[in-house]
Amino acid sequence: MTFTITTPLYYVNDKPHLGSVYTTIICDSIARYKRLLGDKVIFITGVDEHGLKIQRTADEKNVSPQSHCDEISNSFVYNWKKWEISFDKFIRTSSKHHEKIVNEFYEKVKESNDIYMGVQKGWYCVGCEEFKENPNNSPLTVCPIHKKNLEWRDEENLFFRLSKYQNKIEELINTEDFIEPKERKNEIINFVSKGLKDFSISRTNLDWGIRVPDYNSHTFYVWFDALLGYISAISMDESKNKLKDSVVMGWPADIHIIGKDILRFHAIYWPAMLLSAGITPPKKVFGHGFLTREGQKMGKSLGNILDPEILLSKYGNEAVRWYLLKDISLGNDGDFQNKRFVDIINNDLANTIGNLLNRSSSMSRKWFNNKTPFLEENNDPKINDFANKTIDNYMSYFDKYKIDLASNEILNFAIYTNLYLNDTQPWSLIKEEKNIENVKMIIYNVLESCRIIGLLLQPILPNISSKILIQLGQLNVDNKSWRDRLKWGLLPLDYELPIPKPIIDKLEYD
Ligand code: MSP
C-alpha cells in the first residue's frame, strides 16, 4: 500500500528553526512507522521559495533571490540529513519541473472557468503572505501572528472562483477524519459557513515568482504556486512527469501535516483548487500546535528562536526527538523548557529504559556465562500480557497519530518491567540454588521486554532502538517483518550477549 505524507514546504527566509524541525520529526516518525508496517511510503518535504517575503530577504542581503534560495535550500537539505530525516522527495518551488506543473495546473483551472480578472484591495501580511480580515470589520494594522505592520494593497489580480466550491468544501470538511484535531475542524467549519470568497492568485509588481502564462506582468500568488509543490514532488523523478501522471502515483496524499496557522490554505483553498483541476483532494489534513517558548510562538520575526543546530550538537538528535514526540501532544501547543527537557531525557531514556537494559543484561552475563539464560519454561504471563497490551495500544495510538501516547506506552512498559525486577529481586533469589529456574525466568522475561521496547522505539528513536537491539544481539536477525518480530518470546535462549553500554549519556543542566 502506498502512503504519502508531507511536511509543509518551508519558507526559505532563513535556515530551519525548531518549529520546522518539530513538524519534520513528526512526519519522519510516522513515515518510519508506516515503512515498518510494510507500506510503500512517499515522504515529501521541501521549500517554498517564491513571494515577496523571500524577495525582500534577498534584497536585504544584496543577493539575487535565486542565489539566496540556493543557499537556504541547501541548508534545509543539510539539516534534514543531520537530523536523519528519512524523506523520499525534496521539492524546490523554484525548479523548472515545478514551474511546468504550475502552468499545467493553471490551464486546467482555466478550462473549468474558475479564473477571472478582478481588483484586490486589502491589508496584507508579508510574513504570512496572506490578506488579513478583521472579524469586526475594522482594519487591522498589525499581524496577530508576526506582530508586524500590515501593508495596504489595491491592485489588479487574477482571481480563483473559490465561492463556486462552497458546497463541495462543506461536504469535504464535514467528512469524518478529514481535518484533525477536532477543535480545529470546528474552526474551519465555522469559517466556511460564513461563505467562501474568491481569492486572488496572481500579483503584479512582484518579480520573484512564476510568470502567469497569459499575463506577463503577473506572477502567481506564492500560495497558489507552493501548494502545488506537493504534486510536483510526487512526479519529480519520473520521465513522463506531467500532471496527469502524478495523479496515479501516490496521490491523493494520505496526510498533510502542517501547523495550525496554515490550516485554511490546506483544508479549504487547496482542495478547491484540486477539485477545479479534476484532481482528488488529500485524504487528511492535520493541523498541529505551535512550539512555544515562554508561551509565545517561536519564529524568526519574533526573535525567540531556539537554534536547532545548537540543540543538536549539545544534546543529540534522539534526545530532542523524544522530548518533542513524547512530551507534546500533536494537536496542542508545547512549551520548550530547558529544565524539563533535561529531566525527561535523564528520567525516561537514561534511568528508566537505559538502566533496565543495562542491569538485566549485566545480571544475565554475570550469572549465565555472558549469555541469555537457558530454561524450559520461559514465559511469565504477567509480563507477557502487559507487553501484548502495550503493543496493541501503541499501534492504535500511532494509527491515530497520537505519537505522544504511543511513546508513553513504551515508557510505561519499561516502568512496569523495572518494578517487576524490583519486586522479584533476582539478585537476592540467586543466592540460593533452589531459585535458579525462577531467576532464569525473571531475567529472560526482562530481557525479552527490552527487545520489545527496542523494537517499539524504532520509528521514534531509530538510533537508540538499534543500540538496544545490538546489545541483545537482535538487530536485523532474520527476514521477519517488524510486526512479526513483535511477538513475545523470540529472544533466543543461551545466546551470547555483548558487553552493555549506556544507550544515552545523561544530560547536564546549563
Ligand atoms: N511556506 C508556507 C507553507 C507552504 S505549504 C505548501 C509556510 N512556511 S513556514 O516556513 O512559515 O511554516 C511552515 C510550517 O512551520 C507551518 O506549518 C507553521 O505552522 C510551522 N511552524 C512555524 N513556526 C512554528 C512553531 N513555532 N511551532 C510549530 N510549528 C511552527 O507557512
Side-chain angles (χ1 to χ4, degrees):
M1 210 162 64
T2 308
F3 182 83
T4 302
I5 178 166
T6 71
T7 71
L9 305 185
Y10 300 107
Y11 283 130
V12 291
N13 53 326
D14 205 352
K15 59 189 180 129
H17 61 71
L18 201 61
S20 21
V21 169
Y22 174 57
T23 319
T24 311
I25 284 177
I26 292 164
C27 293
D28 181 67
S29 70
I30 298 170
R32 286 175 188 270
Y33 172 71
K34 293 288 179 181
R35 284 189 199 108
L36 287 169
L37 289 178
D39 285 358
K40 154 123 194 48
V41 172
I42 307 180
F43 172 11
I44 295 171
T45 187
V47 281
D48 180 356
E49 303 181 275
H50 290 132
L52 189 54
K53 170 148 88 175
I54 307 306
Q55 183 169 307
R56 282 191 183 162
T57 312
D59 289 349
E60 277 161 25
K61 283 171 57 184
N62 244 330
V63 294
S64 71
Q66 188 64 62
S67 74
H68 166 78
C69 289
D70 290 347
E71 182 198 328
I72 304 291
S73 170
N74 285 341
S75 147
F76 268 88
V77 175
Y78 173 78
N79 273 283
W80 293 159
K81 298 234 153 111
K82 274 179 70 176
W83 285 95
E84 299 178 60
I85 302 297
S86 63
F87 62 88
D88 300 295
K89 312 265 182 192
F90 185 93
I91 185 71
R92 293 187 59 177
T93 59
S94 69
S95 65
K96 278 275 157 252
H97 167 60
H98 176 70
E99 182 178 336
K100 203 168 126 213
I101 294 287
V102 172
N103 286 337
E104 265 182 60
F105 186 85
Y106 171 67
E107 290 306 325
K108 282 181 181 274
V109 175
K110 229 170 58 180
E111 278 164 28
S112 302
N113 194 23
D114 285 340
I115 304 282
Y116 66 93
M117 187 64 85
V119 172
Q120 171 77 64
K121 287 185 189 175
W123 291 99
Y124 195 71
C125 170
V126 179
C128 297
E129 294 279 15
E130 186 183 13
F131 281 97
K132 295 284 169 183
E133 262 178 55
N134 190 328
N136 310 323
N137 277 341
S138 62
L140 292 169
T141 50
V142 172
C143 167
I145 296 175
H146 291 91
K147 316 274 187 246
K148 293 234 163 116
N149 283 344
L150 300 172
E151 298 178 20
W152 178 252
R153 291 280 185 282
D154 178 355
E155 60 179 42
E156 207 178 43
N157 286 168
L158 288 167
F159 279 73
F160 170 69
R161 271 185 229 285
L162 179 64
S163 53
K164 184 171 135 186
Y165 295 91
Q166 177 78 32
N167 293 344
K168 288 198 170 145
I169 292 296
E170 272 178 3
E171 200 181 303
L172 180 69
I173 60 178
N174 278 297
T175 319
E176 188 71 22
D177 296 342
F178 174 65
I179 300 175
E180 284 195 57
K182 292 279 172 290
E183 315 82 90
R184 307 257 146 77
K185 177 175 174 168
N186 296 337
E187 279 166 30
I188 296 289
I189 290 177
N190 196 15
F191 176 80
V192 174
S193 71
K194 292 181 187 140
L196 291 174
K197 294 198 191 108
D198 299 348
F199 71 97
S200 60
I201 59 144
S202 75
R203 296 287 181 267
T204 49
N205 307 317
L206 174 65
D207 282 338
W208 184 236
I210 298 175
R211 296 257 155 229
V212 179
D214 323 311
Y215 300 92
N216 218 15
S217 60
H218 290 239
T219 48
F220 281 110
Y221 170 40
V222 59
W223 271 100
F224 186 83
D225 152 358
L227 287 161
L228 280 160
Y230 298 135
I231 297 267
S232 28
I234 283 190
S235 59
M236 67 198 281
D237 302 325
E238 312 303 322
S239 52
K240 290 187 286 166
N241 49 19
K242 283 192 156 289
L243 195 56
K244 64 173 170 25
D245 300 314
S246 68
V247 173
V248 245
M249 304 166 309
W251 194 264
D254 290 84
I255 185 165
H256 290 311
I257 302 241
I258 50 161
K260 60 183 178 181
D261 54 335
I262 56 174
L263 190 55
R264 253 182 227 177
F265 287 101
H266 285 79
I268 303 171
Y269 300 177
W270 177 225
M273 284 164 58
L274 288 166
L275 289 169
S276 166
I279 301 175
T280 317
K283 292 185 200 157
K284 185 191 286 296
V285 179
F286 199 116
H288 66 67
F290 284 152
L291 215 50
T292 58
R293 206 177 168 191
E294 317 301 339
Q296 277 232 318
K297 178 180 181 253
M298 231 183 276
K300 191 185 171 221
S301 44
L302 301 173
N304 63 348
I305 293 177
L306 249 180
D307 187 340
E309 286 188 70
I310 296 179
L311 278 184
L312 182 62
S313 61
K314 208 159 144 192
Y315 301 121
N317 177 357
E318 308 242 311
V320 180
R321 276 179 84 104
W322 183 252
Y323 185 79
L324 297 180
L325 294 174
K326 179 247 166 188
D327 206 45
I328 302 172
S329 149
L330 192 50
N332 301 341
D333 288 351
D335 210 31
F336 198 97
Q337 296 161 4
N338 212 274
K339 179 170 181 309
R340 184 167 171 80
F341 171 73
V342 170
D343 285 345
I344 282 183
I345 301 311
N346 289 348
N347 288 339
D348 297 356
L349 300 183
N351 296 345
T352 304
I353 297 178
N355 231 357
L356 177 70
L357 175 67
N358 194 289
R359 60 182 182 150
S360 51
S361 162
S362 302
M363 286 186 279
S364 194
R365 283 173 49 86
K366 184 166 162 205
W367 298 333
F368 309 115
N369 199 19
N370 297 334
K371 291 181 176 172
T372 61
F374 180 79
L375 67 171
E376 299 293 327
E377 178 50 62
N378 62 6
N379 189 17
D380 184 336
K382 267 202 310 294
I383 201 156
N384 180 351
D385 287 350
F386 202 99
N388 289 341
K389 220 173 278 148
T390 299
I391 296 166
D392 287 350
N393 292 345
Y394 167 100
M395 297 280 172
S396 86
Y397 285 139
F398 231 124
D399 289 339
K400 295 186 200 114
Y401 309 109
K402 295 181 189 287
I403 310 173
D404 58 324
L405 299 182
S407 306
N408 271 306
E409 284 294 318
I410 308 176
L411 184 66
N412 288 338
F413 184 40
I415 292 171
Y416 177 86
T417 312
N418 269 313
L419 287 175
Y420 171 83
L421 258 187
N422 294 349
D423 287 349
T424 51
Q425 303 222 350
W427 48 88
S428 305
L429 294 176
I430 193 77
K431 290 179 189 148
E432 287 189 59
E433 182 60 32
K434 67 173 184 353
N435 294 327
I436 189 75
E437 285 309 310
N438 198 11
V439 171
K440 285 180 175 176
M441 198 265 299
I442 294 165
I443 295 298
Y444 181 86
N445 281 273
V446 176
L447 287 172
E448 177 61 351
S449 303
C450 291
R451 190 184 68 87
I452 299 287
I453 289 167
L455 286 169
L456 292 178
L457 281 174
Q458 215 158 315
I460 300 166
L461 304 178
N463 291 329
I464 288 188
S465 156
S466 298
K467 283 185 186 166
I468 295 174
L469 295 174
I470 286 170
Q471 293 197 41
L472 295 167
Q474 292 299 300
L475 188 73
N476 306 327
V477 273
D478 51 33
N479 292 331
K480 277 203 183 72
S481 71
W482 179 68
R483 193 68 191 85
D484 284 345
R485 290 178 71 200
L486 280 167
K487 296 220 169 79
W488 184 261
L490 294 181
L491 181 72
L493 306 172
D494 197 27
Y495 184 84
E496 194 84 27
L497 285 171
I499 297 171
K501 286 193 213 114
I503 54 164
I504 190 164
D505 292 332
K506 278 205 177 177
L507 305 182
E508 304 280 338
Y509 296 112
D510 271 339

